[in-house]
Amino acid sequence: MVQILDADGRRHEDPQYSAYAVDLDAGDLRAMYRDMVLTRAFDAEATALQRKGELGLWAPCVGQEAAQVGSAHALAPRDFVFPSYRELGVAQVRGLDLRETLPLFRGVRHGGWDPHAHNMQIPTLVIGAHTLHAVGYALGVQRDGDVGTGDPTRDRAVVAYFGDGATSQGDTNEALVFAASASAPVVFFCQNNHWAISVPTTTQSRVPLVHRGGGFGVPSVRVDGNDALACYAVAREALERARAGGGPTFIEAVTYRMGAHTTSDDPTRYRDRAEEDLWRAKDPIARLRVYLERQDLADAAYFAAVDAEAGELAESARAYCTSLTGGPAEEMFEHVYTLPHPLVTEEKAARAAYEAGFADEEDAR
């Protein structure tokens, strides 16, 4: 397993991947730390909002910030991201206003943002389905000639983020087949957080998940998912190779879901406190902070400023969430297909007629 920054915040050299992280300066590392702290603060506030009845559901990502933020920092602006519903840290790095993730979970919008504004698709709630979307998009990039030109302003790559549970889905396996067959410029970034809802990874797979990629002929690497530097390094290598025409990569980032699968889940029913305490000691944010302090790359004033910004973000999230209201019911029929669809048109008309019927009854009274 690739590791550059260990659980105690000590830096180690990796013979293959350290070179990809060597040019990260103090500003880059502070930016990673800030993105991780803001992600966790927003995540905690969204969880609290759901508990108060302001959101219908929320999928916490606490504990997985390094895997998401570290890898996302390796993305180029032209790269395109296909997330699952838990990639809050990736959204933060891509410049998305995190409040735009709330309308979907409040039930007032189907999505929440324009995918092309930040080259990040809205989340796909069907487990693993978006891996096929990512490969399809990557094939389009390939056919557009935006791979292997040597021009950094043109070459692009695609990344699909998903959890360990998605590796048991047929869609993910089909995506790996297509990606390998076509040498598509796509990176499969699997966050192995050890629990697919209530089923441990060891039940899903008899071998480490990293071997899934090799079975399809896809180069694969296992990385410490709580090490932001290592996640950056392996993602950067995979993305650079994809942009150069080297084809797909499968990355298994070994991390841990510290919270519930979603707010409808109770993890105390299937895992014990000792396991959580073991992983709490590997906290990705604390790890990077210790390194920054030990190397004199950030001072107390910096950490205080980040904490203050996190508090402001949480407060802003509360105000924004409670202000969200649903639009007209007809919105549910919009953006289902790119072009008008006769079945959707028929269903929209049927619903309008159904609502009009209530008005007729009221008039009759």
Side-chain angles (χ1 to χ4, degrees):
M1 185 167 67
V2 178
Q3 184 184 75
I4 295 176
L5 206 61
D6 67 22
D8 296 321
R10 296 185 178 87
R11 190 161 182 163
H12 304 274
E13 291 302 312
D14 181 272
Q16 181 177 355
Y17 290 99
S18 285
Y20 288 94
V22 71
D23 57 351
L24 289 173
D25 60 23
D28 295 324
L29 297 176
R30 286 194 295 265
M32 284 187 184
Y33 177 83
R34 171 182 174 272
D35 286 334
M36 291 165 66
V37 171
L38 294 184
T39 296
R40 181 169 293 187
F42 188 94
D43 185 55
E45 184 57 37
T47 301
L49 285 166
Q50 193 284 328
R51 298 304 189 199
K52 296 173 183 176
E54 299 294 346
L55 297 176
L57 188 73
W58 186 253
C61 66
V62 60
Q64 299 181 218
E65 295 90 354
Q68 296 183 13
V69 170
S71 61
H73 268 266
L75 290 163
R78 282 178 55 78
D79 296 334
F80 207 97
V81 176
F82 284 82
S84 70
Y85 45 72
R86 205 185 300 275
E87 273 65 65
L88 195 64
V90 181
Q92 165 66 24
V93 177
R94 293 304 270 178
L96 185 74
D97 182 344
L98 295 185
R99 297 178 304 175
E100 293 189 58
T101 62
L102 297 177
L104 173 65
F105 292 99
R106 192 164 167 86
V108 298
R109 293 290 186 278
H110 285 303
W113 65 82
D114 175 4
H116 298 289
H118 303 282
N119 277 3
M120 181 169 175
Q121 181 60 281
I122 59 176
T124 300
L125 302 184
V126 179
I127 305 296
H130 64 295
T131 58
L132 281 170
H133 306 160
V135 173
Y137 194 96
L139 293 175
V141 169
Q142 190 180 59
R143 282 152 179 73
D144 285 343
D146 293 341
V147 177
T149 69
D151 181 355
T153 65
R154 180 173 179 179
D155 291 338
R156 312 173 64 191
V158 179
V159 58
Y161 287 92
F162 53 94
D164 49 297
T167 64
S168 297
Q169 294 290 336
D171 285 355
T172 303
N173 291 272
E174 292 171 11
L176 284 161
V177 169
F178 277 101
S181 300
S183 194
V186 59
V187 175
F188 296 92
F189 197 93
C190 173
Q191 294 172 80
N192 178 1
N193 64 23
H194 284 75
W195 291 95
I197 307 184
S198 59
V199 180
T201 306
T202 51
T203 299
Q204 298 178 74
S205 180
R206 298 297 182 184
V207 298
L209 293 179
V210 67
H211 296 313
R212 294 287 182 92
F216 293 94
V218 175
S220 305
V221 58
R222 200 177 205 213
V223 62
D224 182 345
N226 285 17
D227 176 358
L229 275 65
C231 289
Y232 169 85
V234 298
R236 178 180 173 184
E237 187 274 339
L239 288 163
E240 288 182 357
R241 183 154 43 81
R243 296 185 202 111
T249 301
F250 184 97
I251 297 173
E252 179 195 2
V254 181
T255 182
Y256 194 76
R257 168 170 55 80
M258 293 300 299
H261 174 72
T262 68
T263 47
S264 65
D265 169 47
D266 179 9
T268 64
R269 301 187 64 176
Y270 54 80
R271 69 186 191 193
D272 58 43
R273 182 63 180 268
E275 179 179 293
E276 294 179 2
D277 289 342
L278 176 68
W279 281 93
R280 194 169 284 110
K282 303 177 183 181
D283 188 294
I285 297 179
R287 183 183 307 198
L288 184 54
R289 176 166 180 156
V290 168
Y291 179 73
L292 291 172
E293 292 175 329
R294 188 173 289 154
Q295 299 298 315
D296 293 325
L297 299 176
D299 57 17
Y302 167 77
F303 292 118
V306 171
D307 289 343
E309 186 180 2
E312 292 170 1
L313 177 62
E315 184 177 350
S316 174
R318 285 194 297 274
Y320 180 82
C321 180
T322 55
S323 72
L324 288 172
T325 57
E330 289 75 15
E331 281 188 350
M332 74 174 74
F333 299 100
E334 297 176 3
H335 309 299
V336 178
Y337 293 98
T338 302
L339 299 174
H341 192 285
L343 179 58
V344 175
T345 301
E346 178 184 338
E347 291 176 342
K348 183 177 180 179
R351 191 187 187 287
Y354 174 73
E355 282 196 339
F358 288 103
D360 293 341
E361 290 182 9
E362 188 66 29
D363 292 340
R365 292 175 187 173

